Every structure is written in structure tokens, then in C-alpha cells.
């Protein structure tokens, strides 16, 4: 599942753009100037590391014992931690995969605590019978391009083969990808930490006086009001067979209790399949963190080549000069404009956005882009 990216914002964006023209116009340009290059570099580095791993794994399949181990793992698991699987092997494969892992981790702005991210999986369930019959698989690196028409797979002799990205081949193909869930979890930790360092997180709500529109967000009896998602669905899109599940997260933005812009990343790990209604009962907005009873949400997708340090810097560059004018200002466009144009050809992908979510909202809200909807309701979190 990967909802197609969209750079054009449409009529809703025009309204928000008017409101932000004075405060955010120049900062969006500055964001592009300071961060236009890192994302393409990240994408190239991640893609090259995955391709190198695919070549090495393909060559290693000449060893029948090792080939059988990989086959068993691929048939019994959706994702095989291939670097760990190769840890007991002798020869160059172990070192090659470990080096590829390190390059991917560094390119994404993560540290060693993220662990090994390289994963191997069978390209499609339809390939299982051929794999069981003993056919030696080819190996390909996952693509991060939604519109790709072909991909390159390698055989055990090192030869390359061009495959149709939309026509599942009869021959089994292993796909070398990264663990998107682990990468996103580690990345959101980095993003939150960096945004906090840049000043895009308010001080702890307990340290702030409860004034203004947010006074009712927390009650004297303890606890606070939230908006939680009771149902959510993203639109159906045709995807290449070699694609894996999407990893979705949402950036919730608004003005914190101190009047400064605040950004809170929310992981949504359950959103695996498009066209499927999920009922997570997940808290999206904690209103005790915000001055006004309005907030915005920008839903994004981790596609493998996001550098979270660069993403935090780009967002901060665009948002830090937006000040509280005593009335709520939508921030969706400022977040989208923070991401340089070049990033939209790779990752992170823009999924959809919701303007002016209110604390009192109950019912279904459709995204401004028309790519998804969510049903929300007020939910009070009581102190123990």
C-alpha cells in the first residue's frame, strides 16, 4: 500500500496559503535552500546499499546448504532478518550485509540502536510453489518509486535480468528491503528529539498555566481531553508486486501552551493495506499540549529513504518563525512547503492532510487530498 504522492495542494491549500503568506513565505524558500540535497542523497545511498546486498545474496545461493536455509526462512516468515541469518556464515556475505546495514542506518540519520534493518522476503505468494520445487530464486532490491515499470534482479552467476514491475514473474524472486516498522519507530524517536531541540515542542503541560481556549483541555479532577481515531481508511492504488507494506505516520501540528508552534509525530503501524477499514481507537491529539482547540494533521509514509534528522531540520526551518497571532493559523501548508521539491520524487511520501481538527469533532473527516478518511471522537483520559 502506498498512496500516490501529490505536490499540488488544491483549493483548501490556497486558503491556508493565504493565511500563511506573510509568516511562512520566505521560510519555505529558506527550507528548500538548506535541505534540497539530503533526501536525494539518502535515497541513492539506501538504494545502492540494497542493490549491493541483493547482488551478494544472489551469488551466495550457489551454496546449496545456505540456499536451503534462506528458502526455509522465506517460506516461514514474511520478513527474514538476512544479516542475522548470515551471521554464522563464512565468506564475504556476512561482512557485505553488515556494511550495507551500516550505510542504510547512517543515511537515514539513525544510530546503532536501530539495529539491523535489512530484510529479505519472497516477492509474491504466487512464487511459493516454484520456490518449494527447488527453483533457485533471483534476488532484487526493493524499489521506492511508486511509478517504476521495471526492476533488476540478479541470478546466482551475477547476471542481471529486467523484470516487469506490474507482472508477477513465474520464477521466485527474493526482495531485499528494509524493516520499515523498525526504521519508522527509530526515526520518529530521532524526529521527536530533533524537533524538541529545535524548539518545536512546548514545555511540559503541567508546567504551564491552563489559560485561553485550552483551559478545558485538562480538568481539575485530573486527566485530559483527546481526539481518538475510531476508524480510518486510505484509498486503493495499484502497486508494483515488489512493494512491501507502507509505514504510515502523522505529524500533528498546532500552537503549544507557550504559544510556540508544536509538532507531535504519531506512529500508525497498523495501516498496512489500502482499501481496508482499520478501527484502532488510537489517540491522535492530546489537547492538553495545545493552546487552541484546533490542530492540523499531515499523514506521511516512510518509504525507506527518509533521513529523519534532515526532515526535522526542514520542518523547523519553515515553522520556527511562525508566531502566535492570538488566533489559530492552519499549519498544513507550512509543513508541506518545508519539504523541498526534490524530496517528492522519493521519500517521504505525502498521503493526506486534515485542516483544523477540533477538540469537539465527532464523526468522519475526509482528507483535503481525498486520499483517506478518519472517524474521530472526543475521548477523556482519566488520571489513575
Amino acid at each position: 500500500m502506498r498512496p500516490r504522492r501529490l505536490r499540488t495542494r488544491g483549493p483548501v491549500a490556497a486558503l491556508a496559503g493565504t493565511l500563511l503568506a506573510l509568516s511562512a513565505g520566505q521560510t519555505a524558500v529558506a527550507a528548500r535552500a538548506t535541505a534540497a540535497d539530503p533526501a536525494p542523497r539518502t535515497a541513492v545511498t539506501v538504494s545502492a546499499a540494497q542493490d549491493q546486498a541483493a547482488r551478494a545474496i544472489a551469488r551466495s545461493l550457489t551454496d546449496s546448504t545456505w540456499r536451503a536455509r534462506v528458502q526455509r526462512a522465506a517460506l516461514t516468515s514474511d520478513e527474514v532478518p538476512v544479516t542475522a541469518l548470515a551471521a554464522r556464515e563464512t565468506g564475504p556475505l556476512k561482512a557485505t550485509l553488515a556494511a550495507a546495514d551500516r550505510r542504510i542506518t547512517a543515511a537515514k540519520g539513525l544510530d546503532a540502536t536501530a539495529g539491523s534493518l535489512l530484510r529479505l522476503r519472497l516477492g509474491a505468494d504466487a512464487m511459493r510453489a516454484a520456490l518449494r520445487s527447488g527453483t533457485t530464486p533471483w534476488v532484487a532490491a526493493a524499489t521506492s518509486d511508486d511509478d517504476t515499470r521495471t526492476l533488476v534482479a540478479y541470478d546466482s552467476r551475477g547476471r542481471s535480468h529486467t523484470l516487469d514491475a506490474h507482472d508477477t514473474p513465474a520464477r521466485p524472486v527474493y526482495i531485499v528491503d528494509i524493516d520499515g516498522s523498525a526504521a519508522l519507530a527509530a526515526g520518529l524517536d530521532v524526529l521527536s528529539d530533533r524537533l524538541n531541540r529545535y524548539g518545536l515542542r512546548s514545555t511540559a503541560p503541567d508546567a504551564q498555566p491552563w489559560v485561553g481556549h485550552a483551559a478545558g483541555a485538562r480538568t481539575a479532577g485530573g486527566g485530559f481531553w483527546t481526539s481518538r481515531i475510531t476508524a480510518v481508511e486510505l484509498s486503493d492504488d495499484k502497486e508494483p508486486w515488489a512493494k512491501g507494506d507502507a509505514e504510515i505516520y502523522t505529524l500533528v501540528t498546532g500552537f503549544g501552551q507557550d504559544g510556540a508552534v508544536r509538532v507531535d509525530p504519531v506512529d500508525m503501524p497498523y495501516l498496512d493495506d489500502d482499501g481496508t477499514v482499520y478501527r484502532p481507537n488510537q489517540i491522535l491529539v492530546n489537547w492538553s499540549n495545545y493552546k487552541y482547540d484546533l490542530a492540523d494533521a499531515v499523514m506521511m509514509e516512510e518509504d525507506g529513504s527518509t533521513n529523519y534528522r534532515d526532515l526535522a531540520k526542514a520542518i523547523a526551518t519553515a515553522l520556527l518563525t511562525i508566531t502566535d497571532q492570538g488566533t489559530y493559523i492552519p499549519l498544513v501548508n507550512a509543513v508541506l512547503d518545508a519539504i523541498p521539491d526534490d524530496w517528492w520524487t522519493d521519500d517521504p511520501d505525502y498521503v493526506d492532510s486534515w485542516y483544523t481538527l477540533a477538540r469537539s469533532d465527532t464523526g468522519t473527516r475526509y482528507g483535503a487530498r481525498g486520499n483517506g478518511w478518519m472517524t474521530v471522537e472526543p475521548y477523556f483520559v482519566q488520571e489513575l
Side-chain angles (χ1 to χ4, degrees):
M1 175 197 57
R2 184 167 291 105
R4 293 188 182 276
R5 62 184 73 83
L6 186 68
R7 187 56 171 169
T8 303
R9 314 292 204 282
V12 178
L15 172 61
T18 300
L19 293 171
L20 287 169
L22 181 61
S23 61
Q26 293 180 339
T27 55
V29 175
R32 291 190 180 94
T34 57
D37 293 328
R41 287 201 303 269
T42 299
V44 169
T45 300
V46 171
S47 178
Q50 290 180 174
D51 188 75
Q52 183 182 27
R55 287 174 181 264
I57 293 169
R59 289 193 297 268
S60 74
L61 296 179
T62 56
D63 183 323
S64 60
T65 302
W66 164 247
R67 184 170 67 248
R69 285 186 61 203
V70 177
Q71 178 192 43
R72 286 194 298 272
L75 288 172
T76 56
S77 177
D78 290 337
E79 289 190 339
V80 178
V82 66
T83 303
L85 190 68
R88 291 181 292 169
E89 296 297 308
T90 57
L93 181 63
K94 173 182 175 181
T96 299
L97 296 183
D101 250 326
R102 288 193 297 271
R103 285 196 297 276
I104 290 170
T105 300
K108 292 179 67 61
L110 307 176
D111 56 35
T113 59
S116 172
L117 295 179
L118 274 177
R119 294 294 184 270
L120 179 143
R121 55 183 166 80
L122 192 59
D125 284 340
M127 301 173 179
R128 299 176 73 87
L131 182 61
R132 287 194 184 98
S133 71
T135 303
T136 301
W138 293 344
V139 187
T143 176
S144 63
D145 184 358
D146 291 337
D147 302 315
T148 189
R149 295 185 177 183
T150 62
L151 71 158
V152 177
Y154 303 100
D155 63 26
S156 58
R157 297 175 62 182
R159 297 173 300 189
S160 62
H161 305 268
T162 300
L163 301 177
D164 188 313
H166 295 276
D167 185 10
T168 305
R171 188 182 195 95
V173 179
Y174 290 146
I175 301 297
V176 176
D177 206 344
I178 67 171
D179 185 336
S181 296
L184 179 57
L188 291 185
D189 285 343
V190 170
L191 185 62
S192 295
D193 177 67
R194 290 281 161 169
L195 290 174
N196 188 38
R197 293 188 189 188
Y198 287 127
L200 289 178
R201 299 290 295 271
S202 301
T203 53
D206 286 341
Q208 298 294 331
W210 299 98
V211 298
H213 292 286
R218 188 178 178 92
T219 67
F224 52 90
W225 280 102
T226 69
S227 288
R228 72 174 179 178
I229 303 169
T230 58
V232 58
E233 180 185 19
L234 299 181
S235 298
D236 184 27
D237 286 297
K238 299 293 183 181
E239 289 281 319
W241 57 268
K243 289 280 192 176
D245 289 336
E247 302 297 340
I248 302 294
Y249 63 101
T250 296
L251 301 177
V252 177
T253 65
F255 289 90
Q257 292 292 334
D258 56 2
V261 173
R262 179 184 179 94
V263 180
D264 292 305
V266 178
D267 193 1
M268 308 178 85
Y270 49 87
L271 273 172
D272 288 334
D273 297 310
D274 49 15
T276 300
V277 177
Y278 292 90
R279 303 184 185 280
N281 287 325
Q282 180 185 28
I283 290 176
L284 180 66
V285 186
N286 176 351
W287 292 106
S288 69
N289 290 330
Y290 292 91
K291 177 179 179 180
Y292 301 104
D293 61 357
L294 294 173
D296 296 331
V298 179
M299 188 178 287
M300 309 289 286
E301 180 195 4
E302 148 66 48
D303 236 353
S305 53
T306 306
N307 184 305
Y308 290 92
R309 295 171 188 262
D310 292 334
L311 179 59
K313 181 178 180 180
I315 292 173
T317 302
L319 297 186
L320 278 174
T321 60
I322 300 176
T323 58
D324 180 15
Q325 302 296 317
T327 185
Y328 185 75
I329 300 172
L331 299 172
V332 168
N333 272 57
V335 172
L336 296 181
D337 284 338
I339 302 172
D341 289 335
D342 286 347
W343 287 37
W344 297 86
T345 62
D346 291 290
D347 300 316
D349 281 352
Y350 168 44
V351 177
D352 215 328
S353 50
W354 285 260
Y355 290 78
T356 57
L357 289 169
R359 195 187 79 185
S360 60
D361 277 353
T362 300
T364 299
R365 290 285 307 267
Y366 289 88
R369 192 192 150 193
N371 196 54
W373 59 265
M374 63 174 72
T375 301
V376 296
E377 67 176 11
Y379 180 74
F380 186 74
V381 178
Q382 181 70 55
E383 263 186 14
L384 290 175

